[in-house]
Amino acid sequence: MTAVLGGCGLTGDSGEVTLKLVAADYGDSKDNSSQNYWDELVKSYEAKNPDVHVEVDVYSWNDVDRKVREMVDAGEAPDMAQIGAYSDYADKDLLYAADDVLSIPVQADFVSQLAGAGQVNGVQYGLPFAASTRVLFYNKTLFAEAGVTPPKSWDDLADAAEALDEKGVEYPYALPLGAEEAQAETMQWMLSGGGGYTDDVGTYSVDSPQNVTTFTWLRDELVGKGLTGPIAPGKFNRADAFAAFANGDVGMLNGHPSLMKMASDKGVKYGMVTTPGADGESQNTLGVSDWMTAFKKNGHQDEIGDFLDFVYSDENVLDFSRQYDLLPVTTSASEAMSTAAEDKNLKPFLDELLLSQLYPVGKTSWASVSADVKKRIGQAVAPGGSPQEVLAQIQGTAMRVGSAE
């Protein structure tokens, strides 16, 4: 899509309104592109609301955030954008708050963890759109051949990895700390060690003793012993780790729901368990949400609100979640999915959602901190690397860019 997008006002004198929505693509081919989902949804909405037209342009995740930023910078913000972050726009007072556009029943139906993560200074600007959590996937065939059972603790995980290594498994534990999504694997491990990016009051604590202990363990017990595969974790990306698992070359790794289909399509028999923690099953897991935003630029507050109420109906939330193996962002749709036979594969992820912790996306500094994690964290587990120094460097970035918040 090369056309330059821009916000539209009222069209002609007819009283009709055209809304512009830019959205991310969750599909992996033209056949299951999110454009198809939005085209059907808009068709249904416009049939009931003939005076409102909705134009949706879908971009890949590699491009969508940049595209929206370019539009905003050019003074051509869309009416809505479904993207990966919202806090920068909220900080500049460019967005409607949830109170401004959503009906009370819709707003109250968001899963509480997700609604909370969408807030800046106690006001919700990020409307959760799609969610996922992480569990530990393991290859049942490789585990049986190595004579090991699914791990519950870090020690169990290390023991299983050693047994898999002895059987010649290429990646006993796949540790993707490459630039693609290092911030996710990093947070998952931090949480399993009782840490995280922030402390209980929301202050950055990247170099906490718990986090240092976690990455020291990773360096010494997995990476240093050659149990994470032939590629250095800092150069190993999530997509490559998932592909290797689907090819049967990985014993275990942290994964989200889309890995189920990838593995099944390749005939891999897999199991899923709660992420192992330092002394047993981890008490927290990583939750991730993508965000719908509503821009003030073109007005259209009422029309945006009415359309978004439609978007967040149970039927549409469930339809999207099922098409792309994602978790519903509303309580009512989550309850429906948790009891539906067709969604039984997603049940482990649904159960984790209520225990999940999300990135500190309400901080405008998070984008810079996340970028620094992607740049540096692989060095923390490299042979001879210093977790203390690397985490302290990232903490320094967090304190510097977060000082104005």
Side-chain angles (χ1 to χ4, degrees):
M1 283 170 266
T2 56
V4 177
L5 304 177
C8 264
L10 296 175
T11 55
D13 297 319
S14 64
E16 295 182 352
V17 169
T18 297
L19 300 177
K20 290 276 193 178
L21 167 62
V22 176
D25 197 350
Y26 291 80
D28 55 14
S29 68
K30 188 175 181 180
D31 290 340
N32 72 345
S33 168
S34 297
Q35 188 73 57
N36 302 328
Y37 169 82
W38 286 111
D39 288 349
E40 287 298 314
L41 184 147
V42 166
K43 181 180 178 182
S44 177
Y45 178 78
E46 290 180 345
K48 301 173 184 175
N49 300 273
D51 291 336
V52 180
H53 306 287
V54 185
E55 296 178 2
V56 184
D57 288 292
V58 171
Y59 293 88
S60 79
W61 272 111
N62 294 328
D63 300 321
V64 68
D65 287 290
R66 174 182 53 80
K67 186 64 185 177
V68 172
R69 188 166 300 282
E70 289 173 354
M71 293 170 66
V72 172
D73 290 346
E76 299 174 340
D79 296 283
M80 294 162 286
Q82 185 267 302
I83 46 182
Y86 65 86
S87 58
D88 279 359
Y89 300 126
D91 190 56
K92 296 173 183 174
D93 196 30
L94 301 179
L95 302 179
Y96 288 118
D99 284 341
D100 297 329
V101 288
L102 296 179
S103 66
I104 291 173
V106 169
Q107 191 178 349
D109 199 26
F110 286 130
V111 174
S112 59
Q113 280 91 336
L114 305 179
Q119 295 180 0
V120 175
N121 296 324
V123 179
Q124 185 179 353
Y125 294 96
L127 315 179
F129 181 75
S132 69
T133 55
R134 301 291 197 269
V135 299
L136 186 79
F137 282 74
Y138 65 96
N139 183 311
K140 287 185 173 182
T141 303
L142 297 180
F143 265 57
E145 291 172 354
V148 291
T149 56
K152 292 185 178 181
S153 68
W154 288 357
D155 286 346
D156 293 344
L157 189 150
D159 290 344
E162 288 187 5
L164 292 162
D165 184 54
E166 289 172 3
K167 288 292 184 179
V169 174
E170 189 172 10
Y171 298 91
Y173 178 85
L175 183 65
L177 295 176
E180 180 192 2
E181 205 188 39
Q183 81 283 1
E185 185 76 9
T186 295
M187 184 166 172
Q188 186 75 9
W189 275 99
M190 286 177 169
L191 291 171
S192 72
Y197 286 119
T198 58
D199 61 20
D200 292 342
V201 295
T203 302
Y204 281 115
S205 57
V206 180
D207 60 348
S208 69
Q210 296 96 321
N211 292 340
V212 172
T213 296
T214 295
F215 279 86
T216 300
W217 187 89
L218 279 172
R219 181 197 64 187
D220 295 345
E221 301 301 326
L222 290 185
V223 182
K225 293 182 178 179
L227 302 177
T228 55
I231 302 174
K235 299 184 183 301
F236 194 36
N237 282 324
R238 195 277 314 276
D240 297 325
F242 278 21
F245 186 85
N247 286 333
D249 298 327
V250 174
M252 50 190 158
L253 81 171
N254 288 324
H256 56 61
S258 68
L259 184 55
M260 295 189 297
K261 184 175 187 301
M262 289 180 64
S264 296
D265 287 349
K266 291 290 192 74
V268 171
K269 295 179 180 178
Y270 64 88
M272 300 181 294
V273 293
T274 299
T275 303
D279 301 309
E281 291 182 355
S282 178
Q283 298 303 303
N284 294 298
T285 191
L286 170 66
V288 176
S289 180
D290 303 320
W291 306 97
M292 179 69 76
T293 55
F295 284 87
K296 295 178 179 179
K297 173 72 176 176
N298 308 312
H300 303 160
Q301 179 178 352
D302 291 342
E303 291 85 359
I304 290 171
D306 190 68
F307 177 68
L308 289 179
D309 276 355
F310 182 75
V311 167
Y312 284 107
S313 68
D314 277 359
E315 178 183 357
N316 289 325
V317 170
L318 286 168
D319 184 25
F320 185 85
S321 301
R322 286 166 173 159
Q323 280 194 40
Y324 298 106
D325 286 326
L326 292 162
L327 303 183
V329 296
T330 62
T331 300
S332 55
S334 295
E335 290 173 349
M337 184 175 275
S338 68
T339 58
E342 66 183 290
D343 301 313
K344 63 181 180 181
N345 286 345
L346 284 169
K347 186 74 163 60
F349 299 95
L350 276 170
D351 292 342
E352 295 286 342
L353 186 59
L354 296 178
L355 302 172
S356 67
Q357 291 190 25
L358 281 76
Y359 303 128
V361 287
K363 293 177 175 289
T364 56
S365 56
W366 169 242
S368 296
V369 174
S370 176
D372 207 41
V373 171
K374 294 177 181 181
K375 176 183 175 182
R376 299 181 189 275
I377 197 64
Q379 301 164 19
V381 298
S386 170
Q388 175 74 59
E389 289 182 12
V390 172
L391 293 172
Q393 289 169 341
I394 299 170
Q395 176 70 11
T397 297
M399 297 303 291
R400 185 175 66 255
V401 297
S403 61
E405 292 176 321

